[in-house]
């Protein structure tokens, strides 16, 4: 799992695209289960955890931008 604590600076935005496998993304208390081809847009203003949601490897693309 990749764990990021809550961001202390000005919030920014991320778009996550799942390329292969399945990804569980915990954004504060909300949890998203994403599969290959899925994407989600989030603000990075809460604790954020990325975790592979299956037995197979997961690959994802992360784009960071100003909010």
């Amino acid at each position: 799992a990749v764990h990021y604590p809550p961001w202390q600076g000005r919030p920014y935005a991320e778009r996550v695209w799942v390329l292969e496998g399945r990804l569980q993304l915990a954004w504060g208390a909300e949890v998203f289960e994403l599969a290959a081809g899925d994407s989600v847009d989030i603000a990075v203003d809460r604790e954020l955890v990325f975790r592979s949601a299956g037995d197979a490897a997961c690959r994802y693309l992360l784009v960071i931008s100003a909010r």
Side-chain angles (χ1 to χ4, degrees):
V2 179
H3 179 268
Y4 297 97
W7 183 250
Q8 300 300 316
R10 183 176 172 204
Y12 58 93
E14 290 186 348
R15 175 171 283 174
V16 180
W17 283 281
V18 178
L19 304 175
E20 295 178 8
R22 294 178 38 225
L23 176 70
Q24 182 186 73
L25 189 147
W27 181 47
E30 294 185 63
V31 178
F32 300 92
E33 294 277 343
L34 305 170
D38 290 343
S39 67
V40 65
D41 294 316
I42 56 174
V44 180
D45 56 357
R46 307 178 196 177
E47 180 179 32
L48 187 59
V49 179
F50 294 88
R51 177 178 288 119
S52 178
D55 295 331
C58 175
R59 289 187 341 130
Y60 60 91
L61 175 66
L62 177 67
V63 176
I64 299 172
S65 63
R67 206 165 170 204

